[in-house]
Amino acid sequence: MALFKRKSQIDDDLGFGTQPILGDQRMMNADGSSNIRRIGLPFIRTSDTYNWLISMSWKKFLFILLIAYLLVNILFASLYVLIGIENLKGAGGITPRDHFFDAFFFSAQTISTVGYGHISPDGFLTSCLAAFESMLGLLAFALATGLLYGRFSRPTAKVVYSENMVIAPYKEIKGLMFRLANLRNNQLIEIEVQVVLSYNELVGDQKKRRFYPLELERSKIGLLTMSWTVVHPIDENSPLYNKTAEELAEAEVEILVLLKAFDDTFSQTVHTRTSYKDENIIHNARFVTIFSRDSNGQLMLDLSKIGSLEMLD
């Protein structure tokens, strides 16, 4: 017998298939990425390099740029020393360590085409190496500039979600609720949200993953200027009707949230996603208010309390 009643068989699996979730794993991580480990791929995938560099965090991106810059200069410095430090005019180092650093800083000047003139190449082989490094530097800095522009110009949505969902009194029944807000000062318009219940169901002797779109009190709003508490009324037609926390845990429930909006700054549609596991659904709780007013009566929104809640009797 199905734990959750459905009006009809849901064929839309959101691309996750019918494989069950085991070991309390997520289908979708809280940051919206899919929790699927892909194997069997080639070690070197040049086709994914751009996407990888564009989508990684800023800390990792800047760290990779710094490491690549140091490695390239170390490589060329080693080649200059191998050819002969006497072929670098103005290199006044005495010890091998001084020779290496003279070559390293000459490489840094050459690859950036700064060329202070204190050290200059002498000899055909050293000049050819310096010319090649200068050309490589122009290409590398052009590529880095393009990546930086791509990261800055890529339209993304900075929407913050409450850490948990709550089941709280709603009108004369109860409702499943979560809260969200826009972290940026730009305007998101024509916001549309879709909430899908995902759970394991025993079909015969096999577990299958089922999906059930939840009906919302309101699935679209015109502007996201303040916070938005999304509500799914838990009435007799809801699959969550009279379901306990133990039953949700037994079915390894995960609720997927997909949000789409139009960003008027970039004039493009942006998307953001998140998910909530059964342990993120807090029963008999409600969100605390995050609105207040200053001395002039202006409305203030405290985004640090977006996930703050209080328990009910």
Side-chain angles (χ1 to χ4, degrees):
M1 181 178 178
L3 180 62
F4 296 91
K5 60 181 180 180
R6 301 191 305 274
K7 295 179 180 178
S8 62
Q9 179 67 37
I10 303 301
D11 296 324
D12 184 11
D13 61 6
L14 300 180
F16 288 101
T18 60
Q19 291 295 323
I21 295 299
L22 303 177
D24 201 32
Q25 292 287 327
R26 282 179 177 267
M27 298 186 65
M28 181 185 294
N29 297 316
D31 61 359
S33 60
S34 299
N35 187 27
I36 298 176
R37 187 162 63 94
R38 306 170 67 195
I39 61 175
L41 297 172
F43 180 74
I44 299 177
R45 292 172 289 160
T46 56
S47 59
D48 286 347
T49 303
Y50 179 78
N51 179 71
W52 179 61
L53 291 171
I54 286 291
S55 58
M56 68 172 53
S57 65
W58 274 104
K59 289 183 179 180
K60 186 181 293 185
F61 177 73
L62 295 176
F63 177 76
I64 289 177
L65 284 185
L66 176 62
I67 293 299
Y69 179 77
L70 292 176
L71 289 177
V72 169
N73 282 295
I74 289 173
L75 173 62
F76 278 97
S78 301
L79 292 176
Y80 288 125
V81 173
L82 183 62
I83 294 173
I85 196 65
E86 65 276 4
N87 293 311
L88 292 179
K89 286 184 177 181
I94 300 175
T95 64
R97 174 178 171 274
D98 294 335
H99 292 163
F100 176 80
F101 279 109
D102 284 339
F104 178 85
F105 290 118
F106 171 73
S107 172
Q109 297 167 19
T110 303
I111 200 170
S112 61
T113 67
V114 174
Y116 288 117
H118 175 65
I119 302 177
S120 60
D122 186 24
F124 178 76
L125 190 58
T126 306
S127 297
C128 288
L129 183 59
F132 175 74
E133 183 182 9
S134 179
M135 181 190 69
L136 182 65
L138 289 173
L139 296 176
F141 279 100
L143 178 61
T145 302
L147 288 173
L148 285 171
Y149 175 77
R151 291 180 65 89
F152 275 110
S153 61
R154 184 168 64 102
T156 56
K158 289 294 183 182
V159 175
V160 59
Y161 297 90
S162 58
E163 184 179 355
N164 298 297
M165 284 182 157
V166 299
I167 294 181
Y170 170 74
K171 296 183 177 178
E172 296 180 355
I173 54 176
K174 289 187 177 182
L176 177 72
M177 310 176 188
F178 66 94
R179 192 158 59 182
L180 59 91
N182 184 17
L183 284 179
R184 289 177 173 161
N185 291 323
N186 63 335
Q187 287 291 336
L188 294 180
I189 60 178
E190 298 179 4
I191 303 95
E192 182 178 354
V193 66
Q194 180 182 4
V195 180
V196 179
L197 171 69
S198 171
Y199 58 94
N200 286 341
E201 183 178 81
L202 190 62
V203 180
D205 58 349
Q206 291 184 345
K207 280 187 177 181
K208 292 186 178 294
R209 198 69 179 174
R210 299 302 193 191
F211 297 85
Y212 192 110
L214 298 181
E215 296 182 4
L216 303 178
E217 170 207 27
R218 183 183 294 108
S219 62
K220 297 179 182 179
I221 58 174
L223 288 172
L224 186 59
T225 56
M226 299 188 292
S227 67
W228 181 16
T229 301
V230 181
V231 181
H232 162 65
I234 305 178
D235 54 18
E236 294 180 354
N237 297 320
S238 170
L240 298 174
Y241 186 68
N242 286 337
K243 291 296 181 293
T244 65
E246 291 75 17
E247 289 176 315
L248 299 182
E250 178 186 352
E252 298 196 55
V253 162
E254 182 174 355
I255 297 180
L256 312 177
V257 178
L258 297 89
L259 184 142
K260 178 176 67 173
F262 186 82
D263 190 327
D264 68 343
T265 301
F266 294 100
S267 295
Q268 292 189 29
T269 300
V270 293
H271 300 264
T272 178
R273 300 169 297 278
T274 190
S275 75
Y276 297 91
K277 289 284 293 178
D278 54 87
E279 60 264 24
N280 300 124
I281 302 176
I282 311 300
H283 292 251
N284 298 321
R286 67 182 178 188
F287 292 112
V288 301
T289 180
I290 57 176
F291 297 103
S292 60
R293 293 185 182 274
D294 61 12
S295 57
N296 296 322
Q298 185 177 11
L299 193 63
M300 297 187 298
L301 178 66
D302 189 354
L303 293 177
S304 65
K305 298 180 180 179
I306 191 71
S308 299
L309 51 87
E310 60 183 2
M311 301 304 298
L312 302 175
D313 294 335

